[in-house]
Amino acid sequence: MTGSAILEIKDLRVSYNGTRAVDGISLIIEAGEIFGLLGPNGAGKTSTLSAIEGLVRPEAGNVKVTGIEMRGAPPSARANIGVQLQATSFQSELTIFQIIRLYAGLYGVPVSNGKLRSLLAEIHLETEAGRRFGQLSGGQQQRLALLLATIHNPPLVLLDEPTAGLDPQARRQLWSRIEELRRRGHSILLTTHSMEEAQAVCDRVAIIDYGKIIDIDAPEELIKKYENDPRVRKAARGQVTLDDVFVGLTGNALRD
Amino acid sequence: MSEKTAGEAALNEEAAAGNAPGFDGTFQPQIGRTLASLLQADAAVLVRNRRSLIVAIILPLFILLASKRAAVSGSAALLGASITFGLVSIGILGYSMSVARDREKGVFQRLRVTPAPGWAIMTSRIAVQVAASLVMSAVVLIVAGEVDHIVLSPVGYLLAAASALVGAAMFLSIGQMIVGIIKSADTINSLARFIYIGVVLFGLLGESGKLGAALASVATWSPYGTIAAMFAGAGNTSAWTGETWLAVAASLGYILVFAGIGIKWFRWSTD
């Protein structure tokens, strides 16, 4: 492990039916860092996350979580990751209480009823314990998903478009929770289409397209670096923003 | 203490007590605990879906009681046919549809990003369905004894329990094969009903000889027929012959083939 690196990805390549989705991505995420993966649809963000989670077998390269290689010891590596998938779903018959108990059990975290109640109170769902996941609002579902992702106090938390479909209030509340996680020492890797979100919460971002990293840096540094780039100037409407840098570097063409 | 602090304190306490992974990367969940958590959740789902379990029990009872009144066939054969009918419902309809639905909704993908091994996730699912099959078989045997006075010998009850286990494995393996070969939950929904009706009708009509002598022989050695033969042998242990053992062997062969196909081709997501 390099220094305090929590996640190390080296030359990662992922293909589906001969089509390369991730093409040689390498990056390191340090302890306590919030890192954003930005890219248009189909750029390879979710495929990269899937490889980190061990859901897809990379064609080449390796992923280490707290120094544990995902390919070599998936259960141990997964025990050190908390995941919020893009479309989170649980068995529709289970109550919120039962879902938390299940996931706590899968991570070996014993939780008494009292502890469960305090965890629910933390995410303002104390009155929803007997309801089912599908009966919660989008914001409530995201809060629960984040609680489940961190119930075992993992060093690394992966969030796949965590604020997609949320209203501005719920989005800002989630940003606060993400920052709170960082304060508690977690490292966070998130994917997003929102440049506002990336600027608001990420320490560093990687812009990826066609499975390759175009650049990695702090959002402000990327703006400084590319503000005079002709592609970015062409995309800008007034003062250059991260959004302009993103569109300038990845192009205007619509993606799937 | 604020609510937020209380929640954090709860987790920190557990981490400090060595119960949570914390940040040293050495945590390895115990498989027993993982299985217990999965079984608890899957059992809760089954209880919540008790209506489908009740239907899986009522239909065999209906066949048992209605056919008895119609004096269709011998009591042991009838008992076997009724239980087999329930096992087909649970394995082909219940199991395959629930797996297809959860796969489409991404339930499995969420479970797979935890340290729980894939085999534990599926073992828990199957174990709960086997338990449901045994409950259904027990209810039918009890009702058969109480209402229809079809009482088995002690060895007969043991053989019936073993037949129920093999039958559950047989029809769950067919359910597994369906979800292994087909990804779409809608297609599985339709196909499972079609296969269910086909297996039962072919088993019942074929064995009765109404479809001709050649098909009667095929029906006898079909998945439905071999399990029904085992139950018939359990109902009348003196009729448990070499042919019944061949039915056991054929059943085990079917299970190996269907489960093998189902496991080999199974995908955790529909992507």
Side-chain angles (χ1 to χ4, degrees):
Chain A
M1 200 157 83
T2 316
S4 57
I6 293 296
L7 174 69
E8 279 183 282
I9 301 177
K10 212 174 194 176
D11 199 25
L12 185 70
R13 288 165 210 273
V14 176
S15 294
Y16 301 107
N17 303 322
T19 305
R20 187 156 285 171
V22 179
D23 194 3
I25 282 184
S26 299
L27 58 88
I28 289 175
I29 296 180
E30 305 288 342
E33 185 177 25
I34 303 181
F35 191 97
L37 264 186
L38 313 179
N41 287 338
K45 304 185 296 293
T46 298
S47 296
T48 303
L49 284 194
S50 296
I52 298 169
E53 292 153 358
L55 289 179
V56 297
R57 183 180 282 271
E59 192 184 337
N62 61 50
V63 172
K64 283 184 186 174
V65 181
T66 63
I68 304 166
E69 215 169 310
M70 177 56 81
R71 270 174 137 172
S76 300
R78 285 190 188 125
N80 286 282
I81 304 176
V83 178
Q84 181 179 359
L85 296 174
Q86 202 175 93
T88 293
S89 193
F90 305 99
Q91 283 145 294
S92 51
E93 297 86 354
L94 296 179
T95 63
I96 305 309
F97 216 78
Q98 289 167 326
I99 291 171
I100 297 176
R101 196 173 277 288
L102 166 63
Y103 280 85
L106 294 180
Y107 287 105
V109 178
V111 281
S112 63
N113 286 350
K115 281 174 184 169
L116 269 173
R117 272 192 288 275
S118 67
L119 289 170
L120 281 170
E122 185 184 328
I123 55 169
H124 309 291
L125 289 180
E126 58 271 48
T127 56
E128 318 293 336
R131 298 181 78 190
R132 287 161 221 296
F133 186 71
Q135 295 174 315
L136 302 182
S137 70
Q140 289 174 324
Q141 288 185 348
Q142 291 294 54
R143 296 208 297 275
L144 177 66
L146 193 55
L147 170 71
L148 295 174
T150 55
I151 199 157
H152 55 301
N153 203 19
L156 177 65
V157 181
L158 306 178
L159 308 173
D160 197 358
E161 298 188 19
T163 55
L166 296 186
D167 64 28
Q169 285 81 3
R171 201 167 67 223
R172 278 166 192 269
Q173 202 176 51
L174 201 67
W175 292 353
S176 303
R177 291 202 163 268
I178 291 169
E179 280 165 351
E180 177 61 29
L181 286 175
R182 186 242 302 270
R183 272 195 290 278
R184 284 158 60 175
H186 299 270
S187 302
I188 293 142
L189 171 58
L190 62 88
T191 69
T192 182
H193 281 297
S194 163
M195 299 304 131
E196 184 197 0
E197 182 167 291
Q199 265 186 293
V201 299
C202 295
D203 300 312
R204 287 190 303 149
V205 297
I207 297 179
I208 68 171
D209 202 8
Y210 298 108
K212 292 177 191 284
I213 291 180
I214 298 175
D215 205 344
I216 300 181
D217 216 327
E220 316 78 57
E221 294 304 318
L222 283 175
I223 294 169
K224 271 190 210 160
K225 200 187 290 182
Y226 289 101
E227 64 187 351
N228 294 318
D229 185 300
R231 293 168 299 171
V232 174
R233 298 281 347 150
K234 195 177 165 194
R237 295 175 178 178
Q239 198 179 1
V240 171
T241 63
L242 187 60
D243 204 55
D244 301 324
V245 173
F246 177 80
V247 172
L249 296 183
T250 60
N252 269 317
L254 278 177
R255 309 298 174 89
D256 291 335
Chain B
M1 190 183 278
S2 72
E3 286 172 340
K4 189 169 183 174
T5 324
E8 281 173 18
L11 284 179
N12 289 340
E13 257 173 44
E14 282 150 6
N19 295 325
F23 287 76
D24 63 359
T26 56
F27 174 77
Q28 179 74 62
Q30 291 174 332
I31 195 63
R33 192 169 197 166
T34 300
L35 265 174
S37 300
L38 287 166
L39 281 168
Q40 199 176 10
D42 288 330
V45 170
L46 184 74
V47 170
R48 178 78 188 165
N49 284 336
R50 54 187 169 275
R51 230 181 320 174
S52 52
L53 180 60
I54 290 168
V55 168
I57 293 172
I58 285 176
L59 284 177
L61 287 179
F62 176 77
I63 290 180
L64 180 74
L65 301 175
S67 304
K68 185 75 198 297
R69 290 199 179 109
V72 167
S73 59
S75 55
L78 183 59
L79 181 66
S82 306
I83 296 177
T84 309
F85 194 84
L87 294 175
V88 178
S89 301
I90 292 169
I92 296 183
L93 289 183
Y95 176 73
S96 65
M97 285 186 192
S98 75
V99 169
R101 184 201 60 185
D102 285 350
R103 176 169 62 183
E104 197 151 278
K105 283 167 59 185
V107 172
F108 288 129
Q109 289 297 68
R110 183 63 189 84
L111 286 169
R112 284 183 68 227
V113 296
T114 70
W119 67 261
I121 296 169
M122 291 318 278
T123 298
S124 165
R125 290 262 167 156
I126 290 168
V128 167
Q129 297 296 330
V130 168
S133 298
L134 291 178
V135 167
M136 181 276 301
S137 305
V139 171
V140 175
L141 283 170
I142 290 167
V143 172
E146 293 295 319
V147 179
D148 273 349
H149 309 295
I150 305 172
V151 181
L152 310 188
S153 65
V155 175
Y157 279 114
L158 280 177
L159 287 173
S163 304
L165 264 180
V166 174
M170 162 85 85
F171 296 110
L172 286 168
S173 70
I174 293 179
Q176 182 65 39
M177 185 174 68
I178 294 170
V179 292
I181 293 173
I182 298 161
K183 276 187 177 178
S184 154
D186 285 339
T187 311
I188 288 170
N189 197 335
S190 318
L191 187 75
R193 285 166 204 273
F194 183 74
I195 292 176
Y196 168 73
I197 293 168
V199 165
V200 172
L201 278 184
F202 185 65
L204 284 175
L205 297 177
E207 273 197 314
S208 70
K210 286 177 183 162
L211 300 177
L215 283 180
S217 174
V218 175
T220 302
W221 296 103
S222 71
Y224 180 96
T226 55
I227 298 299
M230 287 173 65
F231 276 113
N236 179 8
T237 47
S238 60
W240 187 289
T241 60
E243 196 158 299
T244 318
W245 284 114
L246 277 179
V248 174
S251 300
L252 296 177
Y254 279 132
I255 292 167
L256 279 177
V257 172
F258 296 149
I261 294 171
I263 291 166
K264 182 171 169 51
W265 293 94
F266 183 72
R267 295 291 173 269
W268 292 97
S269 77
T270 51
D271 297 338

